[in-house]
Amino acid sequence: MAETKKLFIKTYGCQMNVYDSERMAESLGGSGYTEVSSPEEADMILLNTCHIREKAAEKVYSELGRMKELKIANPDLKIGVAGCVAQAEGEEIMRRQPAVDLVVGPQSYHRLPDLEAKARKGIKALDTDFPEEDKFEMLKARPKVKRAPAAFLTVQEGCDKFCAFCVVPYTRGAEVSRPVDRILREAEDLVDRGVREITLLGQNVNAYHGTGEGGTWGLARLIRRLAEVDGLERIRFTTSHPNDMEDDLIAAHGDCDKLMPYLHLPVQSGSDRILKAMNRKHTAQDYLRLMERIREARPDIALSGDFIVGFPGETDQDFEDTMSLVREVGYASAYSFKYSPRPGTPAAEKGDKMVDEDVATERLYRLQGLITEQQKAFQNEMVGREVSVLFERKGREAGQMVGKSEYLHAVHVTDDVEIGEIKRVRIVESGTNSLGGVLVS
């Protein structure tokens, strides 16, 4: 009988890292690992890192310092670092933290079992290549175990946009799309194991251009084909770029019933001057016209976005332009951050144009205040309406069940409903981050 070992994975950052962590755990399952919920129990700890947020690398080193203490107590413990920080700082991680046994980049994690085997023999293992082989095809078949009703599925990786603030092109590489048949195969497998909603993932997912029957397919054609899969009831996708929002994808929001009325479409700034400095290759008006067309196709759509404040050279007027854009769009939700330089990106070289920290902080508070107002307003508009809810888990209170509406709101009811069921719910209250409802007979 194979030795049973315990694996703890800590996942940072985006949904794609969540998907990657699942695949890493499945990959190591063939080496005898089962997942546990705490690092103290583990024979191997894997940090799946993200390089997008401020001081991402330092946070990883801080976490590694804590993990080092566990290794002192248990010398057989193996520690690995995966993801985008691993890709960007592989050798530096090994140098700064000798407790690390293996480092693997996001394009190489299909080689994780071999790296783990080396680490078990006391050999430091580093792999941050961009391999020629398709990592998804090299991974073992996914185990036939029941799944939660909502799942992520990566269809596209990498980015060719080279926004001035972003490290993704350097850590994830150029845009690559998975073939249609392999995506369909994985989607059908997920549905067979209980999945009813799939979110298609990509660093720039609406740039999808996978090989399928008759040539190259765009994201809209892929979505329409996935909508034909029996048992798959809901489809979402994230994250997108405004310049790749093609006509057929906009139309799909109006005529594909299984495509949910929620769209995350980052703009980053409302100032044309800052958008140009960011190398976004669109203007604020381009984005606003696009939002109008999307709302024409699906008037009730919930819109989400990303914003960076304090980008080098941002003036008070540039920031007010961003506030103006937010007011005009009216977001259901949005994410906003202070600019922080990513080593190796063009924006990081503009140190002489950095915005004062206190000014950037004040702008962020103002922007987040406006976004919160809009989010509350959108939630409050749901009260009295009927929505469709996919129930995913038990709630904190006795008898309570929690799921997500088509608009991605968390919705809770106290009623007799099973995980995986989709039910009509009438919303009766709006809380801070969720909606309360009752089942519709």
Side-chain angles (χ1 to χ4, degrees), residues 78-89:
K78 300 302 175 186
I79 299 175
V81 182
C84 291
V85 173
Q87 184 69 41
E89 304 202 15

Side-chain angles (χ1 to χ4, degrees), residues 22 145-153 186-200 230-236 260 389-394 401-404 408 417-423:
E22 288 180 4
V145 295
K146 182 141 180 87
R147 288 290 307 259
F152 296 126
L153 199 170
E186 188 170 345
E188 289 165 353
D189 174 68
L190 288 168
V191 171
D192 285 344
R193 292 188 287 128
V195 170
R196 305 198 72 186
E197 173 182 299
I198 288 176
T199 300
L200 307 177
D230 288 339
L232 178 59
E233 302 299 333
R234 294 176 158 200
I235 301 169
R236 304 182 190 273
M260 294 295 96
V389 178
L390 170 60
F391 287 95
E392 299 180 30
R393 59 182 174 85
K394 293 181 179 179
M401 294 295 292
V402 180
K404 287 191 176 66
L408 209 61
V417 62
E418 297 293 325
I419 291 174
E421 286 188 314
I422 298 176
K423 297 284 190 179

Side-chain angles (χ1 to χ4, degrees), residues 142-407:
R142 308 193 77 166
K144 298 293 183 181
V145 295
K146 182 141 180 87
R147 288 290 307 259
F152 296 126
L153 199 170
T154 292
V155 302
Q156 180 272 343
E157 284 194 283
C159 186
D160 296 342
K161 297 297 186 286
F162 288 92
C163 295
F165 52 83
C166 187
V167 296
V168 166
Y170 312 102
T171 58
R172 290 275 183 171
E175 290 177 0
V176 177
S177 298
R178 297 178 65 188
V180 171
D181 62 337
R182 296 174 190 173
I183 294 169
L184 289 174
R185 196 162 64 226
E186 188 170 345
E188 289 165 353
D189 174 68
L190 288 168
V191 171
D192 285 344
R193 292 188 287 128
V195 170
R196 305 198 72 186
E197 173 182 299
I198 288 176
T199 300
L200 307 177
L201 299 180
Q203 265 84 32
N204 193 25
V205 70
N206 61 339
Y208 176 81
H209 52 276
T211 302
E213 183 181 353
T216 301
W217 290 32
L219 185 62
R221 187 174 180 185
L222 175 65
I223 288 170
R224 294 179 196 280
R225 175 63 184 85
L226 285 167
E228 297 173 6
V229 174
D230 288 339
L232 178 59
E233 302 299 333
R234 294 176 158 200
I235 301 169
R236 304 182 190 273
F237 62 91
T238 196
T239 291
S240 299
H241 193 288
N243 292 357
D244 291 311
M245 203 70 196
E246 297 181 349
D247 293 348
D248 58 346
L249 186 55
I250 295 172
H253 278 282
D255 59 34
C256 183
D257 291 340
K258 290 187 178 180
L259 180 58
M260 294 295 96
Y262 174 91
L263 177 64
H264 183 67
L265 193 61
V267 62
Q268 307 299 355
S269 175
S271 161
D272 287 346
R273 197 178 68 84
I274 295 300
L275 288 170
K276 184 176 181 180
M278 289 177 166
N279 196 36
R280 291 288 290 175
K281 296 186 172 68
H282 63 77
T283 66
Q285 280 302 312
D286 292 337
Y287 182 84
L288 290 169
R289 283 194 294 269
L290 179 58
M291 289 303 207
E292 288 176 4
R293 293 182 58 209
I294 292 165
R295 278 203 167 112
E296 286 174 4
R298 185 68 193 250
D300 66 331
I301 196 165
L303 295 171
S304 174
D306 285 348
F307 294 90
I308 295 172
V309 301
F311 188 81
E314 183 186 67
T315 65
D316 288 344
Q317 185 57 56
D318 293 325
F319 174 70
E320 291 303 330
D321 290 343
T322 295
M323 295 288 280
S324 177
L325 181 143
V326 172
R327 292 188 189 98
E328 186 162 349
V329 171
Y331 288 94
S333 62
Y335 304 92
S336 52
F337 312 92
K338 280 192 297 186
Y339 170 77
S340 60
R342 302 269 79 85
T345 59
E349 300 173 3
K350 299 180 180 181
D352 59 328
K353 296 183 179 179
M354 287 292 288
V355 174
D356 179 82
E357 184 73 13
D358 290 341
V359 172
T361 298
E362 190 270 338
R363 289 174 182 171
L364 181 64
Y365 286 157
R366 285 185 57 201
L367 175 60
Q368 289 179 339
L370 176 58
I371 290 168
T372 299
E373 286 179 15
Q374 293 186 346
Q375 180 178 334
K376 287 181 178 177
F378 191 82
Q379 281 193 190
N380 291 342
E381 288 172 6
M382 292 290 140
V383 176
R385 289 180 56 178
E386 289 186 14
V387 296
S388 174
V389 178
L390 170 60
F391 287 95
E392 299 180 30
R393 59 182 174 85
K394 293 181 179 179
R396 295 177 181 175
E397 299 177 10
Q400 190 180 72
M401 294 295 292
V402 180
K404 287 191 176 66
S405 76
E406 57 266 60
Y407 304 104

